[in-house]
Structures are given as C-alpha cells and as structure tokens.
Amino acid sequence: MMKKTFAVAALAAVMIPAAAFGQARDQIRIVGSSTVFPFSTAAAEAFGRQGKFKTPVVESTGTGGGMRLFCAGVGTGHPDMTNASRPMTKSEFESCAKNGVTDITEVKIGFDGIVLADKLGSAKMNLSRKDIYLALAEKVPMNGGLAENPYKTWAQVNPNLPNIKIEVIGPPPTSGTRDAFVELVMDFGCKDFPEIKAITDAKARSQACSKIREDGAYIEAGENDNLIIQKLNTSPDAIGIFGYSFLDQNKDKVQGSQIEGFDSTFENISSGKYPVSRSLFFYAKNAHVGVIPGIKEFITEFVSEKAFGKDGYLTDKGLIPLPDAERAKTRDSSVSMTKLAM
Amino acid sequence: MTDIVERPQGVASRGAALGVHATEEAQKRLKRRYASEWRFRAYGLTAILISITALAVLLWSIVGQGYTAFTATTMSLTVTVDPALADPGGKRAQDDLRTGDFQGIARAGLRSVFPDVKERSDLRALYTILSNGASDAIRDRVLDNPALIGQQITVRIPVASDYDMYAKGFAAKTPKGGESRLSPKQIAWFETLKADGKIHSSFNIWFLTSGDSRQPELAGVGGAIIGSLLTLAITLAIAFPLGVMAAVYLEEFAPKNRWTDLIEVNINNLAAVPSIVFGLLGLAVFLNVFGLPRSAPVVGGVVLALMSLPIIIIASRASLRAVPPSIRQAALGLGASRVQVVTHHVLPLAMPGILTGTILSMAHALGETAPLLMIGMVAFIVDIPSGATQAATVLPVQIYLWADSPERGFVEKTSAAIMVLLAFLLAMNAIAIFLRKKFERKW
C-alpha cells in the first residue's frame, strides 16, 4: 500500500514542476481571426521554409477571442500577434493598455470580399443590398411600419429578379463573416427606408436592420464554407454566403452574384467597386521583439511584395491586395513597427 | 412449443388428451405468437442491417474520396544549379545556401523543357506546375552536398495540387460557364510532360511523414501522428496508474459508507461530463495557474487523462468485481496479507479486463478535439514536435482543419487522414480484443 501511495504522490509531483518549462519559447505564436487564418498560415509556412526560424504556430480563435488572448499581457505566456478581420476597437485597445500591452503595431494586409454565389448554370443574380436586406430581414418596412417578412421569392422583392424561392445558406451568428455581412449588406440596405429612419431609438433601429429571418429562408450552415458550397451543388436555387477565397477555389462549381451591378471579381474587389468587402489586419506586440526570435523578420516576410503584393502567394490564396501606394505605406510603417495610437 | 404443432391432429384419442390446445382459437393464438416472434426477429435484423448499411456508406464515402491521397503525382525535373541563384555570395556557407533562390533554379529547369514558352503571362501559368516543394527538394540536395552547385541534377518533385487533382481525374469535367482550375494550355503542358515520361505516380510517403502545410501536395499527417502519440503517452502515464489505484482502493479496501457512495456517484457523473468542460478546466488550471505552454501535448495529455480517468476507474472496478471472492478467501486463508491478495492474485486476474477498458478509453481520447480547442492545440503547426512541451496538434484536429480549408486538394487529404485515424482506432481495438481473448479467465 505504501509503495502505491508513494507512486501517486510522485505522479502528482511530476505534474506541478512541469510549470517550470513553460517559459522559454523560440517560436512565434499567432492567434485570431479565422478569415485571416489561411493567409497567416501561408505566410508562416513560407517564413518557416527559409529555415532560419521555426515556423510560427497559428491558432484560429476568431477575432474577438484573439484580441482577448493578445491583450492579456506581455510575456512569453501570451501570443505575439493576433489576426483580425476588423480593426481593433477602442475598448480592446484600452483593455490591452490596462494589461501593459501598450506598444502595438497595426498591419493592414488587404481585403476580403464576401460573395453571394449560386450553382453554375443557375440564374446569375444581380442583387442590390436593398434587395438582400428585404429578402433576409426578419421584419421589413411596409406601409409606414415594420411587418414580418412576407417575401417568399426573389421576384416579390424586386420584379427584375427571377421568380425563384428565397433560400440563402450562410454563416451562423458566431462567425465573423456573418458580422461583416450584416454590417456591409444589411445595415447598408436598410438605411434609406423612411420606416427605418423613423425609428428614433438607435438600438431598435440597428436591431431592425440586422436581425435575420428565422423562418427557413436563411439557413445557417455552420462555420464550414466548404459545406455551403457542397449544399449549393445539390440545391440549384439556393444562394450561399462565404468568403472570396472559397469562390476563387471553386469557380468550376459556383458563380458569384453581381452586387449593385458589379461582379465579385478580384479586380472589382481590389478597386473597391464591389461593395461587400472588408479590411484584414494583424497586430503585433512590439515588446516581444528581441524576446521571441523572428517577429520582425516575419512581419517583413508578410508585407513583402512576394507575399501580400499583387502577384504574391497570398493573393493565390484569395487575399485581395491593397492598392500600390497603400501597400508601400503599410510596408514602411510595419517594418519600422510604428506604434499604434488610438 | 414446436412439438405441439407437429403432433398429428387427426388422432382422436390424442385430440382428447390435447384438450384446450387443439381448439381452433388455440391454433389462432399459436399462429399469432409465431408471427410476433417472427416480427421481433425481423426488427432486430433490420436494426443490424441499418447500422451495417450506415457504416458501409460512411466507409465507402471516406475510402472512395481518400484513397487517392496515398499516391502522389511527381515530376522528374533536370535542373542546373546556377551558382548565381543558389549562392550569390559565393561563400558556400550553409546559412547563405538556405536563402538561395532554389525556386528560380526549378523554374529555369522547367523553362528548358519548354523553350517555346516566352510570354510572361504564359511563363507564370507554366510555373504553377511547380509546387513549393520543388525548391525544398533542390535545397536539401545542395545543402547535403554543396559541390553540386554548378552541376546538373535531376530531382523528383511533387507537382502542384491542381495538377495532382487533374492527374487523378478530379478536375476532368467543368460545367458550362465555369472556370476550370487549369487552362487548356496548362493541361497541354502537363500532357506533354506526361508523354515524355516525366510524370510519375508513386506511393505518397510525404503524407505519412511530413507536417501540416498550406499546400495540399506537401501536407501530411506526420506531425499530427507524433502529436497524438505524445499526447496519448502522457494520458496513459497519468490515467492508468491513477485509475487502477482508485479502483483497487474503492473495490478492495474502502469501507462501504456514505462517503464512498458519494465518491462512486461522482465518478459515474464525471464519466458523463461533456469533454469540452475538461478543456475549460485545462485552460483555467494548467495554462492560467501553472503557466504551462499553450498547444503542448503535455497539457493535452493531462486534460485527456482527467477525461478518461472515470472511464478507467469504472472499467477497472467492474473487472475487479468479476474476480470470484473464493480467490481472495483462499489467499487470505493461506495467510496472505490483504496487499498480497490484491497484488499477487486479484490484480493479475483482473488485468485483462482493466487493460481492455484502458485501451478503449485511450481510443476515445484519441478521437477528441473539443477539450483541445481550449488549450490551443487546434492550430496550424508545421514543425514536427520533438517533445511533449512543444507545440503540436493531433489527428482529429488535423482532420478538422483540413475540412475547413478552401483548397480543393484538401478534400482527399481530409478523407485520407480519417482513414489513418480509423486505422489507429482499429489497431487499438484489435489489441483490446486480443488481450481479452488471450488472458481472460472464465470461472
């Protein structure tokens, strides 16, 4: 009995000093947005391939989750960088500062388009953001007030659209793509209706704009965009919402709809003509430079022309590059690690 | 029951003896009972058939989609290792050689195969056939033997994923109005290479040995397999002794009172706790309080150990209970102490059952992703871990990450990784069955 008790105690003792080797780290750690994940990992791999530094570890935690981890403090126990599919908010910046993370570099890496696509061979849609809002909102403006969404087909929303059932497969509310879709499409599409303008309470107004119907016309497909593409293939009338990189990889299966008359092409998103696109960022902790090897070199790799440039390998992965002048500016400010002020 | 039916009904004396069993109603009742028995059997058989069909469909779709990932399309390319590209400094130092433009060398090699391609846009289209692995293959050769600089060498390199997919017949038909991943020109070039005998299809050893990659043709489950093994080793090292010890104490030594009842209820409850909860615990305790590294198999192993502990305890207690009391009494009667009874007799006899339970709980732990999400093991990790404190991922996480990737080439990789995981699970279950058959004692 004694021998065994001892063995148990020894095991418990082994587990605690394990804490001691948690400290040294020679590998960059990146957390954050799942939208930036494909680009961040591609850059990390290319960086690791050069063989001087270890390949950074990239975790996909979502923008908000990444910010929380990033802002938790300075030191090797905390990540060095976080990816974001939106700029850092003021409150996140303050929570960072409270934990001693005051010296941050912000790098804007490019754009990501959100596309609405359907199966190849189906009717190609030309939608406006107003149409999309009317088709997908839970309550729509009608006769001076808000009413339960009565629209069943696209033709009811706008007579110019084909007479097919409204069936949209998109991301769930937990997804960053959904947030961006609501902000860029729904909020924009609703703002000109007099009924919406008449709502004085800001909270109720944004609720009216951004609440998506739950009567089966909008189908939440989970966070897997490949799944949405698979579903589009089996239901020709459905429209899917996902990131541009998935359209780019599946052009032999699906076609992007036009929005406000513009195709969701690389050129249109890049020039800003295609309206549903957002900027992507990453943030780095300047205090970790020199502590964790390779941070500066990794940033340099990320903002090099062969990575996030027009013909870079990140554009092959579906990133829409910044305009030339902005790219040069970003490169200067990020390589010199200019401190973010807010 | 059957004899009743088989009795000849016509014999009068017998008929009288049978009495109530021979009436018309009795015959009907009998018929109904047979029918209900037949139905009952049919239900059972249907249930089994449905499960077998579901399993077959699942395996069929996974194997059908994934088996192609075990072959790789490679290309033999003859290149001249241009000193100006490989080592512009001319010092032949290993560090300088690492940063040489080996992709440029590969491109020059490809250009020499197609001297007619001159247009810049055409060249760009041609280069897409080269995987990023091309530069690695040449770099490795040159780093091993710097004397190769300036000479002509032939390397076997994987082709880029789109061409690999084409060679495997996945990209064959494109619906009208769609854009194929490859242009007709690119396909023509590829066919030329094929006709020249430069394209080979061989067993994809990379898939089993290399780490994750964003290029489907270079991605492998090697890192995930090592990560899974490290994690499971730690899980086993913690959960097995703790679980067996707890079971032995509760079964052989503990007094039966309210406290042990309480403990027992809690162990049973713990076995039913959703695994994500253990992940949250790992995050709160091991990462935040003890400061253990994120994404490390050591933390994953401890978390999974906590998760499989109750299952091991329950299985161990059941097999300890199955050892007949006569064994204990005999040993005690011969003067053995209680510790000797347990260590010399009860535990060895219960071991096959305990090991079976342990292996099944390990198989369960092998398939877990949810608790690992919280402790950062759901991550893109290229380097193959060399220790339990290094960042690592595990097989089911690798499957999850690939299933979510936009690149088409990851579809077959996902299914192939599932096949690898299933192979591991089958092997573990086979060991469990073997142990049971080999050592089990019947009383």
Side-chain angles (χ1 to χ4, degrees), chain A residues 72-121:
Chain A
V74 174
T76 53
H78 303 286
D80 311 309
M81 292 182 199
T82 185
N83 299 321
S85 54
R86 55 165 173 75
M88 185 182 257
T89 62
K90 184 122 184 129
S91 68
E92 280 164 349
F93 184 73
E94 279 157 6
S95 106
C96 256
K98 212 169 69 202
N99 292 321
V101 187
T102 49
D103 199 355
I104 302 169
T105 304
E106 178 185 70
V107 183
K108 188 172 171 184
I109 58 169
F111 305 106
D112 173 47
I114 295 175
V115 301
L116 280 79
D118 56 2
K119 189 182 173 181
L120 269 179

Coordinates of all heavy atoms in Angstrom, one line a residue, chain A residues 72-121:
Chain A
A72 N -4.0 40.0 -23.0 CA -4.0 39.5 -21.7 C -2.7 39.9 -21.0 O -2.6 39.9 -19.7 CB -4.2 38.0 -21.6
G73 N -1.7 40.3 -21.7 CA -0.4 40.7 -21.0 C 0.8 40.5 -21.9 O 0.7 40.0 -23.0
V74 N 1.9 41.0 -21.4 CA 3.2 40.9 -22.1 C 4.0 39.8 -21.4 O 3.9 39.6 -20.2 CB 4.0 42.2 -21.9 CG1 5.4 42.1 -22.5 CG2 3.2 43.4 -22.6
G75 N 4.7 39.0 -22.2 CA 5.5 37.9 -21.7 C 5.3 36.7 -22.6 O 4.3 36.6 -23.3
T76 N 6.2 35.7 -22.4 CA 6.2 34.6 -23.3 C 4.9 33.7 -23.2 O 4.6 32.9 -24.1 CB 7.4 33.7 -23.2 OG1 7.5 33.4 -21.8 CG2 8.7 34.5 -23.6
G77 N 4.2 33.9 -22.1 CA 3.0 33.1 -22.0 C 1.8 33.6 -22.8 O 0.8 33.0 -22.9
H78 N 2.0 34.8 -23.4 CA 0.9 35.4 -24.2 C 1.3 35.4 -25.7 O 2.5 35.5 -26.0 CB 0.7 36.8 -23.7 CG 0.3 36.8 -22.3 ND1 -0.9 36.4 -21.8 CD2 1.0 37.2 -21.2 CE1 -0.9 36.5 -20.4 NE2 0.3 37.0 -20.1
P79 N 0.4 35.4 -26.6 CA 0.7 35.4 -28.0 C 1.4 36.7 -28.5 O 1.2 37.7 -27.8 CB -0.6 35.2 -28.7 CG -1.7 35.5 -27.7 CD -1.1 35.2 -26.4
D80 N 2.1 36.6 -29.6 CA 2.9 37.7 -30.1 C 2.1 38.5 -31.0 O 2.3 39.7 -31.2 CB 4.2 37.2 -30.7 CG 4.9 36.2 -29.9 OD1 5.2 36.6 -28.7 OD2 5.2 35.2 -30.4
M81 N 1.2 37.9 -31.7 CA 0.4 38.5 -32.7 C -1.0 38.1 -32.7 O -1.3 36.9 -32.3 CB 1.0 38.2 -34.1 CG 2.3 38.8 -34.4 SD 2.8 38.4 -36.0 CE 4.5 38.7 -35.9
T82 N -1.9 38.9 -33.2 CA -3.3 38.4 -33.4 C -3.8 38.9 -34.7 O -3.5 40.0 -35.2 CB -4.2 38.9 -32.2 OG1 -5.5 38.3 -32.4 CG2 -4.4 40.4 -32.2
N83 N -4.6 38.1 -35.4 CA -5.2 38.4 -36.7 C -6.6 38.9 -36.4 O -7.2 38.5 -35.5 CB -5.3 37.1 -37.6 CG -3.9 36.6 -37.9 OD1 -3.0 37.3 -38.1 ND2 -3.8 35.2 -37.9
A84 N -7.0 39.8 -37.3 CA -8.3 40.4 -37.1 C -9.0 40.7 -38.4 O -8.3 41.1 -39.4 CB -8.2 41.7 -36.3
S85 N -10.3 40.4 -38.5 CA -11.0 40.8 -39.8 C -11.7 42.1 -39.6 O -12.6 42.4 -40.4 CB -12.0 39.6 -40.1 OG -12.8 39.4 -39.0
R86 N -11.3 42.9 -38.6 CA -11.8 44.2 -38.4 C -10.7 45.0 -37.6 O -9.9 44.3 -37.0 CB -13.1 44.2 -37.7 CG -13.0 43.5 -36.4 CD -14.2 43.8 -35.5 NE -14.2 42.9 -34.3 CZ -13.4 43.1 -33.3 NH1 -12.5 44.1 -33.2 NH2 -13.4 42.3 -32.2
P87 N -10.8 46.3 -37.7 CA -9.7 47.0 -36.8 C -10.0 46.8 -35.4 O -11.1 46.4 -34.9 CB -9.9 48.5 -37.2 CG -11.1 48.6 -38.1 CD -11.6 47.2 -38.5
M88 N -8.9 46.9 -34.6 CA -9.0 46.8 -33.1 C -10.0 47.9 -32.6 O -9.9 49.1 -33.1 CB -7.6 47.0 -32.5 CG -7.6 46.8 -31.0 SD -5.9 47.0 -30.5 CE -5.3 45.4 -30.2
T89 N -10.8 47.6 -31.7 CA -11.8 48.6 -31.2 C -11.1 49.4 -30.1 O -10.1 48.9 -29.5 CB -13.0 48.0 -30.6 OG1 -12.7 47.1 -29.5 CG2 -13.8 47.1 -31.7
K90 N -11.7 50.5 -29.8 CA -11.1 51.4 -28.7 C -11.1 50.6 -27.4 O -10.1 50.7 -26.6 CB -12.0 52.6 -28.6 CG -11.5 53.6 -27.6 CD -11.3 55.0 -28.3 CE -10.7 55.9 -27.3 NZ -9.6 56.6 -27.5
S91 N -12.2 49.9 -27.1 CA -12.3 49.2 -25.8 C -11.2 48.1 -25.7 O -10.6 47.8 -24.7 CB -13.7 48.6 -25.6 OG -13.9 47.6 -26.4
E92 N -10.9 47.4 -26.9 CA -9.9 46.4 -26.9 C -8.5 47.0 -26.7 O -7.7 46.5 -25.9 CB -9.9 45.6 -28.2 CG -11.0 44.6 -28.3 CD -11.3 44.1 -29.7 OE1 -10.8 44.7 -30.7 OE2 -12.0 43.1 -29.8
F93 N -8.3 48.2 -27.3 CA -7.1 48.9 -27.1 C -6.9 49.3 -25.7 O -5.8 49.1 -25.1 CB -7.1 50.2 -28.0 CG -5.8 50.9 -28.0 CD1 -4.7 50.4 -28.7 CD2 -5.7 52.1 -27.3 CE1 -3.5 51.1 -28.7 CE2 -4.5 52.8 -27.3 CZ -3.4 52.4 -28.0
E94 N -7.9 49.7 -25.0 CA -7.8 50.1 -23.6 C -7.6 48.9 -22.7 O -6.8 49.0 -21.8 CB -9.1 50.8 -23.2 CG -9.1 52.3 -23.6 CD -10.5 52.9 -23.7 OE1 -11.4 52.2 -23.3 OE2 -10.6 54.1 -24.2
S95 N -8.2 47.8 -23.1 CA -8.0 46.6 -22.2 C -6.6 46.1 -22.4 O -6.0 45.6 -21.5 CB -9.0 45.5 -22.5 OG -8.5 44.5 -23.2
C96 N -6.0 46.2 -23.6 CA -4.6 45.9 -23.8 C -3.7 46.8 -23.0 O -2.8 46.3 -22.3 CB -4.3 46.2 -25.3 SG -4.2 44.8 -26.3
A97 N -4.0 48.1 -23.0 CA -3.2 49.0 -22.2 C -3.2 48.7 -20.8 O -2.2 48.8 -20.1 CB -3.6 50.5 -22.5
K98 N -4.4 48.4 -20.3 CA -4.5 48.1 -18.9 C -3.6 46.9 -18.4 O -3.1 46.9 -17.3 CB -6.0 47.7 -18.6 CG -6.5 48.1 -17.2 CD -8.0 48.0 -17.0 CE -8.4 46.5 -17.1 NZ -9.8 46.3 -17.4
N99 N -3.4 46.0 -19.4 CA -2.6 44.8 -19.0 C -1.1 45.0 -19.5 O -0.4 44.0 -19.5 CB -3.1 43.5 -19.7 CG -4.5 43.1 -19.1 OD1 -4.7 43.2 -17.9 ND2 -5.4 42.7 -20.0
G100 N -0.8 46.2 -19.8 CA 0.6 46.5 -20.1 C 1.0 46.4 -21.6 O 2.1 46.5 -21.9
V101 N 0.0 46.0 -22.4 CA 0.3 45.9 -23.8 C 0.0 47.2 -24.5 O -1.1 47.5 -25.0 CB -0.6 44.8 -24.5 CG1 -0.1 44.6 -25.9 CG2 -0.5 43.5 -23.7
T102 N 1.0 48.1 -24.4 CA 0.8 49.5 -24.9 C 1.4 49.7 -26.3 O 1.0 50.6 -27.0 CB 1.4 50.5 -23.9 OG1 2.7 50.1 -23.6 CG2 0.6 50.6 -22.7
D103 N 2.4 48.9 -26.6 CA 3.2 49.2 -27.8 C 2.8 48.2 -28.9 O 3.3 47.0 -28.9 CB 4.7 49.1 -27.5 CG 5.5 49.8 -28.5 OD1 4.9 50.3 -29.5 OD2 6.8 49.9 -28.4
I104 N 1.9 48.5 -29.7 CA 1.3 47.6 -30.7 C 1.5 48.1 -32.1 O 1.4 49.3 -32.4 CB -0.2 47.4 -30.5 CG1 -0.5 47.0 -29.0 CG2 -0.8 46.5 -31.5 CD1 -1.9 47.1 -28.6
T105 N 1.9 47.2 -33.0 CA 2.0 47.6 -34.4 C 0.7 47.1 -35.1 O 0.4 45.9 -35.0 CB 3.2 46.9 -35.1 OG1 4.4 47.3 -34.4 CG2 3.3 47.4 -36.5
E106 N 0.1 47.9 -35.9 CA -1.1 47.5 -36.7 C -0.7 47.3 -38.2 O 0.0 48.2 -38.7 CB -2.2 48.5 -36.6 CG -3.4 48.2 -37.4 CD -4.5 49.3 -37.4 OE1 -4.3 50.3 -38.0 OE2 -5.5 49.0 -36.8
V107 N -1.0 46.2 -38.7 CA -0.7 46.0 -40.2 C -1.9 45.6 -40.9 O -2.6 44.6 -40.6 CB 0.4 44.9 -40.3 CG1 0.8 44.7 -41.8 CG2 1.6 45.1 -39.5
K108 N -2.3 46.5 -41.9 CA -3.4 46.2 -42.7 C -2.9 45.3 -43.9 O -2.0 45.8 -44.6 CB -4.0 47.5 -43.2 CG -5.3 47.3 -44.0 CD -5.9 48.7 -44.2 CE -7.1 48.6 -45.1 NZ -7.6 50.0 -45.5
I109 N -3.4 44.1 -44.1 CA -2.8 43.2 -45.1 C -3.5 43.2 -46.4 O -3.0 42.8 -47.4 CB -2.6 41.8 -44.5 CG1 -4.0 41.2 -44.1 CG2 -1.6 41.8 -43.4 CD1 -3.9 39.7 -43.8
G110 N -4.8 43.6 -46.4 CA -5.5 43.5 -47.6 C -7.0 43.4 -47.4 O -7.5 43.8 -46.3
F111 N -7.7 43.0 -48.4 CA -9.2 43.0 -48.3 C -9.7 41.5 -48.5 O -9.0 40.7 -49.1 CB -9.9 43.8 -49.4 CG -9.4 45.2 -49.4 CD1 -8.5 45.7 -50.4 CD2 -9.8 46.1 -48.4 CE1 -8.1 47.0 -50.4 CE2 -9.4 47.4 -48.4 CZ -8.5 47.9 -49.4
D112 N -10.9 41.3 -48.0 CA -11.6 40.1 -48.2 C -13.0 40.4 -48.7 O -13.6 41.2 -48.1 CB -11.6 39.3 -46.9 CG -12.5 38.0 -47.0 OD1 -12.3 37.3 -48.0 OD2 -13.3 37.8 -46.2
G113 N -13.3 39.8 -49.8 CA -14.7 40.1 -50.3 C -15.6 39.0 -49.8 O -15.3 37.9 -49.6
I114 N -16.9 39.4 -49.5 CA -17.9 38.4 -49.1 C -18.8 38.3 -50.3 O -19.3 39.3 -50.9 CB -18.7 38.9 -47.9 CG1 -17.8 38.9 -46.7 CG2 -19.9 37.9 -47.7 CD1 -18.4 39.5 -45.5
V115 N -18.9 37.0 -50.8 CA -19.7 36.8 -52.0 C -21.0 36.1 -51.8 O -21.1 35.4 -50.8 CB -18.8 36.1 -53.1 CG1 -17.6 36.8 -53.4 CG2 -18.5 34.7 -52.6
L116 N -21.9 36.4 -52.7 CA -23.2 35.6 -52.7 C -23.1 34.8 -54.0 O -23.0 35.4 -55.0 CB -24.4 36.5 -52.7 CG -24.8 37.1 -51.3 CD1 -23.9 38.2 -50.9 CD2 -26.2 37.4 -51.3
A117 N -23.2 33.5 -53.9 CA -23.0 32.7 -55.1 C -24.0 31.6 -55.2 O -24.6 31.2 -54.2 CB -21.6 32.1 -55.0
D118 N -24.3 31.2 -56.4 CA -25.1 30.0 -56.6 C -24.5 29.1 -57.6 O -23.4 29.3 -58.1 CB -26.5 30.4 -57.0 CG -26.5 31.3 -58.3 OD1 -25.4 31.5 -58.9 OD2 -27.6 31.7 -58.8
K119 N -25.1 27.9 -57.8 CA -24.6 26.9 -58.6 C -24.4 27.3 -60.0 O -25.2 28.1 -60.5 CB -25.5 25.6 -58.5 CG -24.9 24.4 -59.1 CD -25.9 23.3 -59.1 CE -25.3 22.1 -59.9 NZ -26.1 21.0 -60.0
L120 N -23.3 26.9 -60.6 CA -23.1 27.2 -62.0 C -24.3 26.7 -62.8 O -24.7 25.6 -62.6 CB -21.9 26.5 -62.5 CG -20.6 27.3 -62.5 CD1 -19.4 26.5 -63.0 CD2 -20.7 28.6 -63.2
G121 N -24.8 27.5 -63.8 CA -25.9 27.0 -64.6 C -27.2 27.5 -64.1 O -28.2 27.5 -64.8

